[in-house]
Amino acid sequence: TMSSCRQLLRTSARHRQKCTASPARDVLVFDGDGVGPEIITAARRVADAALSVAGVRGIRWIEMDGYGYDNGLGVTEAHLEAFGEVGVLLKGPLSIPAGTSGSVIEARGQAFTSANQALRQLFGLYANVRPARSYALPWPTRFGDVAVDLLIVRENTEDLYCGAPEVWVDKDTCQATKRISRGASARIAEYACALALQRQAERGAPSLVTAVHKANVCKQ
């Protein structure tokens, strides 16, 4: 519940003041709605098991309910404050309602098209980082000789995620804003290059950065 989460946050803050190294890493949990709770439960089991096998410090999960559209709230100031305090969040997916009547979020004096967008914009979560790697299997497959090791970095706050309201041109046509700025483009490019250099240093092999864009269509 909200009250129990606040109590855990206060306890966590006092613990960090007393200890130079916490025995467990605090991670905030928003289950989300729809399939979110099922996914988050499985993810937590995997994380706990992996950390146990690796013999490193575990995670203290701080659960906070109410994040999602099942209750009509989306995200509240209490969620934002908790995330700002803990700094690490395991978040389940949301079933964002179609249209604008049930999905618009008012937070900290701003309007957002969804709870996800509110978190991204308010906390500057501009980089969506998704690793994709193949592993050897004990049985043959069609792709057994293909080694895949990708790290996909996607800009998360602009383009069609900028949150600008759609405009109905007529009853059959809706027009959306695809916003791209020089600053956000440079920021995500620098982040991707920094990750590539880090991977190169760790593996002792060159890393390649590929830029995927729409410059051939968006001429400006």
Side-chain angles (χ1 to χ4, degrees):
T1 65
M2 296 285 189
S3 59
S4 60
C5 178
R6 293 192 182 97
Q7 180 61 39
L8 279 171
L9 291 176
R10 288 193 292 269
T11 303
S12 176
R14 290 195 298 268
H15 183 76
R16 285 196 295 270
Q17 291 173 356
K18 294 179 181 178
C19 303
T20 56
S22 175
R25 183 66 167 93
D26 290 342
V27 176
L28 189 63
V29 179
F30 295 169
D31 281 342
D33 53 28
V35 299
E38 180 180 356
I39 292 174
I40 291 299
T41 298
R44 288 172 57 174
R45 290 177 59 191
V46 171
D48 287 336
L51 293 173
S52 176
V53 170
V56 297
R57 67 174 181 169
I59 294 174
R60 187 173 73 147
W61 304 104
I62 301 178
E63 300 177 353
M64 192 170 188
D65 57 12
Y67 179 80
Y69 291 98
D70 285 347
N71 58 14
L73 296 177
V75 64
T76 66
E77 179 61 27
H79 292 105
L80 301 178
E81 290 178 357
F83 185 26
E85 169 69 22
V86 178
V88 181
L89 170 65
L90 178 63
K91 185 188 75 65
L94 297 177
S95 301
I96 300 175
T100 59
S101 59
S103 62
V104 175
I105 299 295
E106 298 283 345
R108 298 186 175 178
Q110 302 180 57
F112 303 97
T113 55
S114 72
N116 285 337
Q117 194 213 26
L119 289 176
R120 293 171 182 169
Q121 297 286 354
L122 291 173
F123 292 96
L125 306 177
Y126 64 90
N128 186 329
V129 181
R130 300 192 178 190
R133 184 177 180 182
S134 59
Y135 293 89
L137 297 174
W139 55 82
T141 70
R142 293 175 55 191
F143 308 101
D145 58 341
V146 179
V148 176
D149 189 4
L150 302 176
L151 191 61
I152 301 171
V153 180
R154 188 190 72 181
E155 212 291 324
N156 223 20
T157 61
E158 289 201 327
D159 199 81
L160 294 175
Y161 294 97
C162 69
E166 294 86 358
V167 176
W168 282 97
V169 179
D170 55 47
K171 66 181 182 66
D172 296 318
T173 308
C174 184
Q175 184 171 294
T177 298
K178 183 181 177 74
R179 181 182 300 156
I180 300 174
S181 71
R182 186 184 303 275
S185 298
R187 181 175 63 177
I188 196 68
E190 291 169 357
Y191 187 86
C193 289
L195 285 179
L197 290 174
Q198 177 182 328
R199 283 160 60 92
Q200 179 172 294
E202 292 172 350
R203 303 180 182 196
S207 290
L208 175 67
V209 177
T210 302
V212 181
H213 54 78
K214 283 287 187 179
N216 60 324
V217 176
C218 303
K219 300 298 184 181
Q220 300 301 317

